[in-house]
Each structure stands twice: as C-alpha cells, then as structure tokens.
Amino acid sequence: MSTYRVAQVTAPNGTFELVEREVPQPGPGQVRIAVEACGVCHSDALFVSGGLPGVTFPEVPGHEIAGHVEELGQGVLERGWKVGDRVAVGWFGGSCGHCKPCRQGDFIVCPNLKVPGWAYDGGFAEKVIAPADALARIPEGLSATDAGPMACAGVTTFNGLRRSSARPGDLVAVLGLGGLGHLGVQYAVAMGFETVAIARGAEKADFAKRLGAHHYVDSTSGTPVAEALQSLGGARAVLATAGNSDAITATVDGLGPRGELVVIGADTAPMGVNPAQLLMAARVVRGHPSGTSQDVEDTMAFSTLHGIRPTTETVPLDAAGEAYQKMLAGKARFRMVLTNG
C-alpha cells in the first residue's frame, strides 16, 4: 500500500499532527498533485477553527498549493493537462459550473466554490486531489515556493488592482505592508500607479521604498491618513489589505472624486462609513474576492515579467503547526510556506 503524509487537526483549533494516509486515485475531471510547496494563509484559520459552515474534521487546510501533476483522472488529458505539468491551486479550487454566476462566467463568486481545505483536503500535505478547472500553469522561472502564495495572496492583490477604476499615473494607496500588502505595493508600481504605502510606524518607510512605493504614510504619525492622501491629491483607489475595519475606515475620506475603496483584508467588525462620505464625491466601496485559475496564471505571468516575488519563510511539512502559529501571531515575514522534499 502506497501512503502519503498530511498535517491535520482533529478538532476546532486543535494541534497539528502528521499522519499517513493511503494514496487516493483521482476521479473523473480530477488530478492528483504532488505538492512541492503550500503557503500558510490567514484564511486557513477559518477552517482550522471550524469557523465556516461545512468544515469537517479531521481538517487538512492549505489553499496556496504548488506542485506538479502526478496522475490524471478520466477526461483530464483532453483538457490539455499531462503528467508532470507544474501547477498551482489557490482559493479558487474549482466551481460548480451550473449556478447563475458560473453560467455568466463569473466563477470566483460561485456560491458552491470548492476552496481547498473546505471542499476537499488542502495542501498541508504531500499530495492533493483537485478538480482540473482549479489548475493554473506555473511559468518557467517561478519556483514552487513563490508560486504557492501567488495563488491566493498574489492573485487577490493583483486582481484587486487591475479590476479597480485606477489607470496608469493615478494615485493608488495600499493599506498594510504584510503578506498581502507587500505584494500589492509591488503590483501597483509595476502597473504604473503613483503608489502610496500606508502602514504603522516610521520604521517601515524604508521597506516601502524598497518595494518601490513613491510615498509612505505612517498611520501613527498623528496626521490622519485621509488628510495625508488628500495632500497628495486624493487617491483614485485604495487597496485595503489590512484586516482592520478602523484602519480601512480611516482611508475613505482620502479618496478623490469617484475614488474606489477595494477591501480585501478580512475583519468581522463593521466599518464606520456613512452615506455622506460617499454621496457628494461619488465614492465607491466594494469587496474583492480572490481570482479564478486563469487569474492566477495571469498573476504569475505578470510577476515573472516584472520580477515580483513574495517574501517567504520556508519550513518543512512536519513544522506545519509552528508555521501556522507564527502566521497567526503576525510574526511571519511575510508568507510562511510549507515544503516537501
């Protein structure tokens, strides 16, 4: 019997344990991926804690997966995939294909979205079974440890910016310089935006400039963030990567006319935005989900072209528990990545 290892928790917020399972066979329309790397995302806490409906235990999280196709299920070869192909799977782990959003081609908002670690076992493992429509082809020149985070953190920030109303030359602010924000700044600069990085503490200014930011706003300096943005002419878009509703709210009045607040940092606390802040300047506030497998491919191609990479710290699969706790404590700089081999 052939086996493989997974890092799982058996109860909500339980301790990670490494166990062996029998190697599964992919079903029709599926592939088996040999996982080379998997990023540890803050959203994994939603699954480890059992905080979402339908999460079952034992739970194997992980939705920043990179590896290669090991075996094909029925009908996958005809879709252009073959054994050995380098692939990534992110938050978009497949869609139902029959709901109204899917029929309209808007797969990422499918109400039956198949998120790895939720709909099926995730990438904290040596192998993963995934639907073929979840696969994004990894380009040459991009390592598995860089590709994994691109499938969630990367595509979310990249898509959030390219689908915003901002155009090259516009003032665009990125709130937060963590796992999402440090990529968001790099993408904003590469897209031709006049880029403002917003974070806590004057000591982060140098890091922001190294990422390419044209301006840095210290949210703890005493000058309101909105005032600082208006002094630069008002932002056409703010990409809010920080999961803090108060910090997100503080950027709204820094938007220029028809400016857009794009929220990708998750927080359950309400934001303090009132209609008067939106009406006269015709401002827009919207949430932005991740991206489809094609969006992930676009993100990786753009990143390769412009030399954009996540800052990662790699640890072996058997250190999954330590990596998860480091991410949860906010001590990761900036993406923890589990590796096999």
Side-chain angles (χ1 to χ4, degrees):
M1 180 182 71
S2 181
T3 63
Y4 72 109
R5 300 183 305 159
V6 305
Q8 66 177 27
V9 292
T10 57
N13 294 317
T15 301
F16 278 90
E17 60 181 16
L18 219 59
V19 299
E20 290 194 356
R21 297 183 180 178
E22 186 175 355
V23 174
Q25 297 302 307
Q30 298 178 329
V31 302
R32 188 174 71 232
I33 300 170
V35 179
E36 298 168 22
C38 184
V40 182
C41 179
H42 200 276
S43 297
D44 288 320
L46 297 172
F47 311 131
V48 173
S49 66
L52 291 175
V55 173
T56 58
F57 293 86
E59 159 67 21
V60 181
H63 56 270
E64 293 186 343
I65 304 164
H68 62 271
V69 175
E70 190 174 67
E71 187 165 346
L72 304 175
Q74 181 182 350
V76 176
L77 184 63
E78 292 82 354
R79 300 187 190 185
W81 298 103
K82 64 182 185 300
V83 171
D85 283 345
R86 300 179 67 229
V87 295
V89 178
W91 180 266
F92 179 85
S95 57
C96 73
H98 58 75
C99 68
K100 186 173 182 178
C102 283
R103 293 176 67 188
Q104 293 174 331
D106 199 0
F107 303 105
I108 192 59
V109 292
C110 170
N112 306 302
L113 195 67
K114 302 171 185 175
V115 181
W118 191 1
Y120 52 87
D121 286 341
F124 285 23
E126 293 175 330
K127 302 180 190 298
V128 163
I129 299 289
D133 65 326
L135 303 180
R137 198 177 300 276
I138 300 175
E140 290 185 16
L142 192 65
S143 69
T145 53
D146 288 336
M150 293 289 181
C152 182
V155 69
T156 303
T157 51
F158 176 78
N159 248 6
L161 288 167
R162 74 165 172 171
R163 297 186 187 282
S164 75
S165 58
R167 295 295 177 263
D170 285 345
L171 188 76
V172 170
V174 177
L175 173 66
L177 282 178
L180 293 169
H182 86 288
L183 287 168
V185 169
Q186 294 178 76
Y187 288 134
V189 173
M191 290 178 185
F193 302 136
E194 182 180 352
T195 304
V196 185
I198 306 169
R200 295 175 58 84
E203 70 279 0
K204 295 180 182 177
D206 288 342
F207 177 61
K209 294 297 176 65
R210 289 199 302 272
L211 293 174
H214 304 98
H215 311 279
Y216 178 71
V217 173
D218 172 11
S219 62
T220 66
S221 68
T223 301
V225 169
E227 184 179 319
L229 290 177
Q230 288 296 344
S231 72
L232 294 170
R236 179 65 177 179
V238 172
L239 183 71
T241 74
N244 183 301
S245 292
D246 289 340
I248 296 171
T249 299
T251 68
V252 174
D253 284 334
L255 293 168
R258 300 195 181 278
E260 184 177 25
L261 172 61
V262 183
V263 181
I264 62 175
D267 190 1
T268 56
M271 296 193 305
V273 182
N274 66 65
Q277 291 177 278
L278 307 179
L279 289 173
M280 297 303 291
R283 292 166 175 151
V284 175
V285 178
R286 68 175 178 88
H288 173 74
S290 179
T292 65
S293 51
Q294 182 59 58
D295 292 326
V296 174
E297 283 196 14
D298 292 347
T299 301
M300 292 189 293
F302 187 89
S303 301
T304 302
L305 181 65
H306 291 277
I308 297 171
R309 299 293 186 273
T311 298
T312 62
E313 181 179 344
T314 59
V315 296
L317 178 64
D318 55 15
E322 293 90 329
Y324 175 78
Q325 290 300 328
K326 189 169 185 178
M327 175 281 299
L328 210 58
K331 296 180 179 178
R333 292 292 180 269
F334 286 97
R335 306 299 288 186
M336 301 299 300
V337 179
L338 305 178
T339 59
N340 292 308

